[in-house]
Amino acid sequence: MSSTLITRIGTLVTNDPALGDGPLGLIEDAALVLDGGTVAWAGRAADAPDADERHDAGGRAVIPGFVDSHSHLVFAGDRTAEFNARMSGRAYSAGGIRTTVAATRAATDEELEANLTHYLDEALRQGTTTFETKSGYGLTVADEARALRIAARHTEEVTYLGAHIVSPDFAEDPAAYVELVTGEMLDACAPHARWVDVFCEKGAFDGDQARAVLTAGMAKGLVPRVHANQLTYGPGVQLAVELDAASADHCTHLTQADVDALASGSTVATLLPGAEFSTRAEWPDARRLLDAGVTVALSTDCNPGSSFTSSVPFCIALAVRDMGMTPDEAVWSATAGGAAALRRTDIGRLSPGARADLAVLDAPSHVHLAYRPGVPLVREVWRRGTRAV
């Protein structure tokens, strides 16, 4: 494959402090050389080597492609009425996740895949080059397995979330559902997934049930991640750290012991401000986590119920305004932080050897992502060294 020199970059975010200033490894008046699907060189434009082709960035900022490490994209239907009622202050008695479960079960494979690719294309246009997605809207052996098969055709970051809620079919016998999730359903789903997840929360799965789900998945070779401490204080974060989960996601309600546990382990705290925005809930305190030395990721939680956004730039703006993050921290968390939450070192950075995934912003600096909220600043997206947008 040919090499490409991207030159006249206003500000380049490498996420490699050895290459530039600060944690973002910022280089002004920069250039990149892409060789096939990887980054071959990064530095000052004046020092750039030759390449087969040249591309002029026109003084614009270039950042690593966003790594969206938490989404729920295999579903059918939407929950407009539920959102409208919530925002209008009206009581709403429909089934929440169960509404999406019913619609997903009724959809064909072709309908589910078309919906998935629609939202993936939407995310790509906004700079997302890597995404994780989960099952969790089927809650039967067949429906969970097909969700993962469909997802695996589009990403290697596939998560088994049979333990999203207790299936309506087992409403009177949650223990039997946990047995299904850790037995026959896991057997059918594990070959199609990399990760195992559980919604450890009051009204979903308690600490003992969550431990059973995660350890069963680990025995099948899946790596754990946890929906933890979103709605209230609970055991999810501590369990995630104990089991060396890749991430504890949401982390809205944290005790000091939870923060200390995250700071002492390798589990990434993934914050999902779209959920708080869409439910008018309390914001996670990113500043508290960052000041304690916790690795933080920022993701969309794109799902039809509580966070129906595919826009990482929107989440960056929310994190800066309402969660105490600086623009630099938010951009790092949405790129390198997301990579850490997926235990990947080949993405989330633009330094030699990394995958050539990047976004060109219609702005001179990455700070504009928070400075100009709601503005479609992503002008170009390159994925594996090819311009995709």
Side-chain angles (χ1 to χ4, degrees):
M1 296 180 68
S2 63
S3 59
T4 302
L5 169 63
I6 303 177
T7 190
R8 287 220 308 143
I9 298 171
T11 303
L12 174 64
V13 175
T14 68
N15 284 339
D16 186 343
L19 292 178
D21 295 334
L24 294 186
L26 294 175
I27 306 173
E28 305 293 333
D29 301 318
L32 275 174
V33 175
L34 314 181
D35 189 0
T38 63
V39 176
W41 182 90
R44 299 268 301 177
D47 303 324
D50 291 332
D52 299 322
E53 300 177 7
R54 294 174 66 91
H55 182 76
D56 189 341
R60 299 178 180 89
V62 171
I63 65 172
F66 297 125
V67 180
D68 193 345
S69 61
H70 183 126
S71 74
H72 304 250
L73 296 179
V74 186
F75 69 89
D78 74 12
R79 280 147 61 187
T80 305
E82 176 185 329
F83 177 80
N84 190 35
R86 185 164 62 236
M87 294 298 108
S88 304
R90 301 195 305 269
Y92 187 75
S93 58
I97 290 174
R98 291 170 180 81
T99 302
T100 303
V101 169
T104 302
R105 288 179 177 181
T108 65
D109 288 11
E110 293 74 19
E111 289 168 336
L112 290 177
E113 188 156 23
N115 203 48
L116 171 65
T117 56
H118 170 80
Y119 293 113
L120 292 184
D121 289 345
E122 186 178 273
L124 180 65
R125 293 194 301 271
Q126 297 173 90
T128 297
T129 52
T130 301
F131 75 97
E132 177 271 359
T133 201
K134 311 173 192 295
S135 65
Y137 290 127
L139 309 186
T140 67
V141 173
D143 285 306
E144 288 294 291
R146 74 165 177 154
L148 295 174
R149 284 196 304 271
I150 291 168
R153 291 199 281 265
H154 299 274
T155 181
E156 57 201 309
E157 304 298 346
V158 178
T159 301
Y160 168 48
L161 183 59
H164 197 182
I165 60 168
V166 174
S167 169
D169 309 320
F170 289 80
E172 303 305 318
D173 194 356
Y177 185 65
V178 172
E179 185 175 345
L180 178 68
V181 168
T182 57
E184 182 184 357
M185 187 183 288
L186 174 61
D187 291 340
C189 290
H192 310 293
R194 181 184 178 199
W195 309 96
V196 59
D197 199 346
V198 60
F199 188 22
C200 183
E201 195 73 59
K202 184 177 181 180
F205 298 89
D206 64 24
D208 291 339
Q209 292 169 327
R211 181 187 300 277
V213 169
L214 296 174
T215 55
M218 293 167 69
K220 286 285 188 178
L222 303 181
V223 182
R225 48 200 328 113
V226 184
H227 280 62
N229 300 52
Q230 176 186 4
L231 305 178
T232 188
Y233 298 95
V237 165
Q238 298 281 345
L239 180 62
V241 175
E242 176 192 335
L243 296 181
D244 192 29
S247 65
D249 297 19
H250 288 289
C251 293
T252 307
H253 300 276
L254 301 178
T255 65
Q256 189 56 48
D258 293 331
V259 175
D260 292 343
L262 288 165
S264 66
S266 62
T267 298
V268 174
T270 300
L271 306 183
L272 309 165
E276 281 72 35
F277 177 87
S278 296
T279 60
R280 290 180 173 158
E282 178 183 340
W283 297 102
D285 188 349
R287 183 80 269 134
R288 181 186 183 195
L289 290 165
L290 291 164
D291 287 348
V294 177
T295 300
V296 172
L298 198 58
S299 185
T300 64
D301 191 19
C302 187
N303 75 82
S306 61
S307 183
F308 206 3
T309 179
S310 58
S311 175
V312 174
F314 173 65
C315 293
I316 287 173
L318 292 179
V320 171
R321 186 194 181 281
D322 293 305
M323 289 164 43
M325 300 184 89
T326 68
D328 283 11
E329 289 167 340
V331 169
W332 189 95
S333 294
T335 52
L342 296 176
R343 293 190 170 166
R344 299 274 296 272
T345 59
D346 60 325
I347 55 176
R349 62 184 175 92
L350 290 174
S351 54
R355 204 166 79 177
D357 293 349
L358 57 99
V360 180
L361 305 181
D362 204 3
S365 165
H366 62 284
V367 177
H368 282 237
L369 290 165
Y371 179 45
R372 304 197 67 210
V375 177
L377 293 178
V378 176
R379 181 186 178 91
E380 301 175 25
V381 182
W382 295 62
R383 195 173 188 184
R384 298 181 187 269
T386 300
R387 189 158 48 156
V389 175

